[in-house]
Amino acid sequence: MSHIERPRYQCALGGALVTINSIDRAVAVVHSAPGCAASADGAATVGGGYWGTTETDGRATPSTNIVEREVIFGGEERLAEQIAATLEVVDADLYAVITGCMTDIIGDDVRSVVSEFQRQGKPVIVAETGGFKGDSTVGADFIWEAIFSQFVAKGLPKDARRVNLFGFVPAQDVFWRGNLLELKRLLGLLGIEANTFLTPQDRLQELKEASRASLNIVFSDVHGVKPAKLFEELHGTPFVTEPLPIGPTATEAFLRRIASLLKIDEETAEFAIAQEKAYYYSFINPMTDLVNDQDFQRFGIVIGNANYSYAVTRFISEDLGWLPYLAAVTDLLHDDQQQAVIERLETLPADYRPKVIFETDTDRITARLQVILEQEEDPYGNPIHPAFVIGSNLDRPLAAGIKAGFWGVSYPITNRIVTDQFYVGFRGGLRLATELISVLVANR
């Protein structure tokens, strides 16, 4: 019997729950067994850089806490009771019913229960998010589909300079809040108003009116694509998929593509890009003597989800001048999604394309890397020395085993607090470069 040791994601329920908890004045009503909500929220909070708590998460999450009676006789009555109680006690503007494994297995008709409240004009939506249906990225897709179909207003006029940003799974992308805020700032330099929905600065009304956007930008080739297709069907807003832009090369290309799609005048776009590049290189250029003199070039091993595995690999190769050796993609992906990730990595120059593996188990990542290394012919016994591992806290032992540097950028991160830090854009690339080089300096 196969199993996954030290996984890098939660179940579908966990992904849906943390997404709701990141939305202003939204509260989850969990229809599941006791402990599901608290456990899922705890994993997201700790692994997501201790991102914090809200008034109705963790053990305070409204939950039906079904037991044997509901398993035998059905839990629909208990769910109706819990929704009514939550509406009475919790002051919110959106109530999202999500389900766990047990209630999905016994087949409770949760949609029928929720429809009664919807007929009364209550802002209640429902998504069936049984944990066995997938990982946290799947659960996030489920809740976005529910929001787009049951909450977002239809028929609003389009704003040619407004976009929605999707493809981020809170906590699964530990830096989602800072990343979204920085992307909003960058697009603002082009005169574009970006809705981000998942930061402390966002308001629920912006989500209600999301259909006003003329374009949805999904920062992933696999996560958020399915909901974006539904959004286009329901609200007539097209979408594009973009890789996460980390550093000057990727960000410059990203801004030019979006400016072209939204018909932003070239002068505005080029001025914004020039200003951001000048800021980046004003700090990077003075550091180049240190990097060159100390020979800080490294072989890179990048371990993370589909979004970060490409974005970080591209940054270390095209902007830092490192040699990417391995990209380990840790999501649970089906064949078409894996192919999309491979195709994205194949856009890198041939000399900078890493070996790619898809592996969710922490120990097997190490084992597969060892097999790859043993197949290399190297008279000095280590074909990737010196190396640097960029992954999660789970990858520290791997880095120590091959005597490599290490820095954590992907879930789970448990050894530092993450608030508004970010890695996207020119300034995010500057942050990442500074952190990576600092590790090398600290270890001298």
Side-chain angles (χ1 to χ4, degrees), residues 307-364:
N307 298 358
Y308 274 83
S309 57
Y310 169 79
V312 174
T313 296
R314 181 178 185 182
F315 173 72
I316 65 172
S317 64
E318 296 189 346
D319 295 321
L320 278 191
W322 288 9
L323 301 172
Y325 184 78
L326 177 74
V329 185
T330 58
D331 302 302
L332 285 172
L333 302 176
H334 56 65
D335 291 346
D336 289 345
Q337 291 175 319
Q338 289 187 7
Q339 185 59 36
V341 173
I342 290 171
E343 289 174 0
R344 180 66 71 180
L345 284 162
E346 286 178 345
T347 64
L348 296 173
D351 292 340
Y352 293 99
R353 291 176 194 165
K355 298 172 177 61
V356 183
I357 63 172
F358 295 90
E359 184 56 72
T360 58
D361 185 283
T362 296
D363 282 349
R364 286 200 290 267

Side-chain angles (χ1 to χ4, degrees), residues 244-264:
L244 206 61
I246 296 178
T249 303
T251 308
E252 182 174 351
F254 162 70
L255 291 176
R256 285 207 173 100
R257 280 193 296 270
I258 299 305
S260 175
L261 285 170
L262 296 182
K263 297 179 171 54
I264 305 296

Side-chain angles (χ1 to χ4, degrees), residues 5-6 8 301 303 362-363 365-367 369-370 389 391-407:
E5 183 180 357
R6 289 175 292 169
R8 300 158 188 266
I301 297 171
I303 304 172
T362 296
D363 282 349
I365 292 172
T366 301
L369 172 61
Q370 192 59 45
V389 176
S392 81
N393 276 33
L394 299 178
D395 301 308
R396 283 180 175 275
L398 184 156
I402 61 174
K403 298 180 181 179
F406 169 80
W407 189 247

Side-chain angles (χ1 to χ4, degrees), residues 119-137:
R119 277 194 283 271
Q120 299 169 27
K122 305 297 183 183
V124 184
I125 65 173
V126 59
E128 294 174 81
T129 57
F132 60 84
K133 294 181 177 178
D135 64 11
S136 44
T137 63

Side-chain angles (χ1 to χ4, degrees), residues 79-85 87 97 111-124:
L79 174 59
E81 176 185 56
Q82 184 61 54
I83 295 172
L87 287 166
V97 174
R111 294 185 181 276
S112 177
V113 174
V114 169
S115 69
E116 290 297 320
F117 291 92
Q118 292 174 336
R119 277 194 283 271
Q120 299 169 27
K122 305 297 183 183
V124 184

